Amino acid sequence: MRYPRIQHHGAKDGVTGSCHQLEMDASTSLLVDCGLFQGDDASIPGGEGGSRLPIDFPLDTIKALVVTHVHIDHAGRIPYLLAAGFEGPILCSEASAELLPIVLEDAFKLSFSRDQQRIERYIDIVESRLVALPYQHWFTLVDTDELNARIRLQRAGHIIGSAYVEIDLNYPQAGESKRIVFSGDLGAPHAPFLMPPQPPERADILVLESTYGDRLHEDRQTRRQRLEALIEQALQDQGTVLIPAFSIGRTQELLYELEEIIHTHSVGASSPANMLPSETVPASVGASSLANSNSRPPLSTEERAAPILPLPSGERAGVRGRETMLENGITAEGAGLRSKETSLEISSDAEQPPLPLRERAGERGQKAAQNEAPLAENHSPDQSTTNWPELPIILDSPLASRFTAAYRELKPFWNQEARDRVQSGRRPLAFEQLITIDSHSDHQRIVNHLTQTARPAIVIAGGGMCSGGRIVNYLKAMLGDKRHNVLFVGYQAKGTPGHAIQTYGPKGGYVNLDGERFDIRAGISSIGGYSAHADQKGLMEFVTGMQQWPTEIRVVHGEQRAKEALAEALKQHLPAPFELQL
């Protein structure tokens, strides 16, 4: 039988641009994901720096698009797909159907137009095409004498709404059938909010992601302890901890874990983090100061003389709405920061000449040279001097704020642990210390304030790989100051600024932003356990947990080393003969 056949239009030789075409017969095919390329993946191989075409394959046989989840590297090319003439339905899970218009509105603004009328027309088209599928239910795509095709979505545990795709193909005249499974992005076990993925019953052909196919993650308890310890260690530098994070998934998991840390430190105390919703929250309580009581540097003479400006009027996580906070004599300059947010590039040199190693607080500067920063020696959260209940958590990403609000509306898709927290009166995504920054002027003000004062705070800013978003302005302003720290909690693809900072920062290197060289003196740390992707163990369990193992496995969505390591593990653990493609 000539069919089915699979063509890969992205994420075959890298980790971004996911796009796979399943040809079911000569006139019928299905597209699985249509994501943007990022970092080195965005360049045409051998094309001397040219960008890959958004859509460079014919659409005449594609009857539908199924979106495994709404991350930009899986859905970001949909505006180009529609512009190229695709008129079929867009299939996704029920939760993804709520989130996808937000993602595509942002993608449209970045790629096509910011004209509000055009945006609204485009979103109307998207919403008219969406077909929301419940998990575990078969949906018929094609039913003819020659072909019967149906698909089913199953929980993937990656982000809310994520799914892997089962496709049953039956050819009545030939008397043959095939089941194809596209893994999409599989999640790590015990992730906040999410129910873990269960392996499919069987697959003849499996298209399997391999992002972390060459490593194992820390368990959740260990990673939370490391998060707490690294933040406390960083705050001893009397500066800000910057966390670049993807707007959807990673940001909400971080907020969930930070709320747990704050709650643990607040038990038994009359702190906002420990109050029930029915309790009155005084307007003067909480994180309206960018400091904690034990480590706040005194105001300088210049700061005392400067005009008093409010902390940007960020929304306090839906608790009190927008308000002006004039407490603690906070001062800042309201201008002077370049407004260009999304344009930057890094040095393409394979090896940068090392700069002299800077002195870093404690031992972190040397230890951070490893991808996984170790826990500080002799450090215990119980010995902390950080006043967690008063430490502000600043979410500076309008898109992430929209997704966080959407997550709160999607409680039926949360796991039992998360729902239990809400039932107990806690607010895992709307706790008192959380300050959300909306307007660009407020963003500029907060960057200037933290740059000038270096007061302790945690900033989660949009731009998971530092290739755009508000994190860029923080990096420009703070990378050169050893009081500050950058904490990576997500994958950094080669060719992205985040990868350059993560690689060269611990060596005393530099990064080029907007054509200007920025030396990296800030502390650089990474916690791999916060990956939303399954590690090698999780990927292997997905395959070996099937009752009937595949006869063909295509390993995609990974760097070469990760793909090869996963392929070797598959060869060792699957005794039955199977075809393997990298």
Side-chain angles (χ1 to χ4, degrees):
M1 183 176 63
R2 185 182 172 196
Y3 293 98
R5 299 188 308 192
I6 300 174
Q7 294 188 55
H8 303 285
H9 303 304
K12 184 178 186 296
D13 301 312
V15 294
T16 66
S18 289
C19 189
H20 313 283
Q21 184 176 357
L22 174 65
E23 297 179 352
M24 297 179 278
D25 63 20
S27 61
T28 309
S29 64
L30 174 71
L31 202 62
V32 179
D33 288 334
C34 194
L36 275 181
F37 294 99
Q38 297 171 290
D40 287 351
D41 295 345
S43 298
I44 301 173
E48 299 182 356
S51 297
R52 289 188 175 181
L53 295 174
I55 301 296
D56 58 358
F57 50 89
L59 307 178
D60 54 313
T61 67
I62 299 175
K63 305 304 181 185
L65 165 68
V66 57
V67 178
T68 61
H69 65 286
V70 303
H71 273 155
I72 200 74
D73 62 324
H74 288 255
R77 271 193 288 171
I78 291 178
Y80 295 97
L81 185 70
L82 298 181
F86 174 71
E87 296 181 348
I90 302 173
L91 313 176
C92 62
S93 72
E94 294 172 303
S96 289
E98 297 293 325
L99 300 171
L100 193 57
I102 304 175
V103 172
L104 296 184
E105 178 182 337
D106 187 65
F108 188 84
K109 288 178 182 177
L110 293 175
S111 304
F112 288 89
S113 172
R114 290 184 174 271
D115 178 81
Q116 191 59 36
Q117 288 187 337
R118 288 192 65 189
I119 293 169
E120 290 175 1
R121 288 198 300 269
Y122 164 71
I123 294 301
D124 286 344
I125 293 173
V126 168
E127 291 179 339
S128 70
R129 303 279 187 86
L130 286 176
V131 178
L133 303 181
Y135 290 121
Q136 301 180 341
H137 285 72
W138 286 106
F139 177 84
T140 299
L141 286 172
V142 181
D143 189 8
T144 67
D145 292 340
E146 293 80 22
L147 171 66
N148 176 269
R150 59 179 189 162
I151 74 168
R152 180 169 64 178
L153 302 184
Q154 303 277 26
R155 297 179 189 275
H158 179 61
I159 62 172
I160 278 188
S162 61
Y164 66 83
V165 186
E166 297 178 292
I167 305 166
D168 266 0
L169 301 180
N170 291 288
Y171 300 87
Q173 294 181 351
E176 297 180 353
S177 64
K178 289 282 186 181
R179 176 170 291 186
I180 302 96
V181 174
F182 290 84
S183 74
D185 284 356
L186 297 173
H190 312 300
F193 301 109
L194 304 176
M195 293 173 234
Q198 298 297 322
E201 296 173 3
R202 64 182 181 87
D204 296 302
I205 303 171
L206 171 63
V207 180
L208 179 64
E209 71 120 325
S210 60
T211 312
Y212 283 106
D214 60 343
R215 69 195 71 180
L216 301 176
H217 295 326
E218 299 171 88
D219 61 54
R220 180 175 163 190
Q221 182 62 29
T222 301
R223 77 181 190 185
R224 205 211 76 177
Q225 292 173 350
R226 285 166 55 79
L227 176 68
E228 182 176 352
L230 282 170
I231 288 174
E232 289 186 346
Q233 186 175 353
L235 290 174
Q236 292 172 12
D237 294 350
Q238 303 291 307
T240 298
V241 178
L242 302 177
I243 305 179
F246 296 102
S247 296
I248 181 168
R250 197 67 43 78
T251 290
Q252 291 75 35
E253 288 193 12
L254 277 170
L255 295 178
Y256 187 90
E257 299 264 286
L258 288 168
E259 188 274 343
E260 172 65 14
I261 295 171
I262 292 169
H263 176 79
T264 300
H265 283 270
S266 302
V267 170
S270 298
S271 72
N274 203 35
M275 291 182 178
L276 297 179
S278 59
E279 295 181 270
T280 301
V281 181
S284 61
V285 180
S288 52
S289 66
L290 285 181
N292 71 59
S293 59
N294 293 323
S295 59
R296 178 185 306 158
L299 292 175
S300 66
T301 302
E302 291 78 8
E303 287 177 315
R304 292 193 189 98
I308 296 177
L309 296 177
L311 183 71
S313 52
E315 185 172 336
R316 294 296 289 280
V319 177
R320 295 202 299 272
R322 295 184 61 84
E323 61 182 31
T324 301
M325 292 170 280
L326 296 165
E327 303 158 18
N328 297 293
I330 292 175
T331 64
E333 296 294 328
L337 192 72
R338 287 173 291 179
S339 61
K340 191 175 183 182
E341 290 188 290
T342 57
S343 175
L344 86 166
E345 59 182 358
I346 65 167
S347 171
S348 60
D349 298 339
E351 294 293 334
Q352 296 182 1
L355 299 177
L357 276 174
R358 279 96 178 173
E359 181 180 352
R360 304 270 171 83
E363 298 178 349
R364 192 198 54 259
Q366 297 288 343
K367 289 181 179 178
Q370 305 172 8
N371 244 8
E372 301 297 327
L375 284 167
E377 294 180 8
N378 302 319
H379 179 89
S380 167
D382 295 336
Q383 301 169 355
S384 168
T385 58
T386 301
N387 188 350
W388 280 93
E390 293 295 323
L391 181 69
I393 314 298
I394 301 169
L395 177 57
D396 193 350
S397 169
L399 189 59
S401 296
R402 290 184 67 186
F403 281 126
T404 302
Y407 257 61
R408 293 199 294 265
E409 297 299 318
L410 291 169
K411 288 187 182 70
F413 296 94
W414 292 14
N415 63 19
Q416 191 60 48
E417 176 194 276
R419 293 199 297 269
D420 287 345
R421 286 195 185 183
V422 174
Q423 288 297 317
S424 72
R426 290 165 60 182
R427 299 184 292 267
L429 293 179
F431 49 94
E432 177 66 16
Q433 286 75 13
L434 179 60
I435 301 171
T436 61
I437 303 299
D438 187 12
S439 74
H440 184 69
S441 62
D442 284 351
H443 159 70
Q444 290 179 315
R445 182 176 296 175
I446 206 75
V447 171
N448 290 337
H449 173 70
L450 294 175
T451 301
Q452 293 164 11
T453 66
R455 292 187 173 188
I458 299 172
V459 175
I460 303 171
M465 296 185 189
C466 306
S467 55
R470 291 184 173 180
I471 190 62
V472 174
N473 286 336
Y474 286 99
L475 295 172
K476 291 177 185 176
M478 298 183 182
L479 273 179
D481 188 338
K482 66 182 181 182
R483 294 175 297 180
H484 302 301
N485 290 265
V486 181
L487 176 58
F488 289 102
V489 295
Y491 183 83
Q492 304 300 309
K494 286 184 178 179
T496 61
H499 185 270
I501 295 168
Q502 189 180 54
T503 302
Y504 301 118
K507 303 174 184 177
Y510 63 89
V511 63
N512 290 331
L513 311 178
D514 286 338
E516 182 179 354
R517 171 170 160 164
F518 289 82
D519 292 346
I520 305 172
R521 296 186 178 91
I524 308 298
S525 302
S526 301
I527 303 179
Y530 274 88
S531 172
H533 288 269
D535 60 7
Q536 185 185 94
K537 181 174 182 289
L539 294 170
M540 290 300 303
E541 289 175 348
F542 183 78
V543 180
T544 59
M546 298 183 193
Q547 296 176 18
Q548 178 184 321
W549 291 339
T551 55
E552 178 182 341
I553 300 177
R554 296 190 174 208
V555 180
V556 298
H557 201 286
E559 294 178 359
Q560 192 62 29
R561 183 178 65 180
K563 292 169 64 177
E564 290 174 354
L566 180 59
E568 186 61 33
L570 288 167
K571 291 176 185 176
Q572 293 179 6
H573 288 85
L574 296 183
F578 64 96
E579 179 183 347
L580 183 64
Q581 295 187 32
L582 298 183

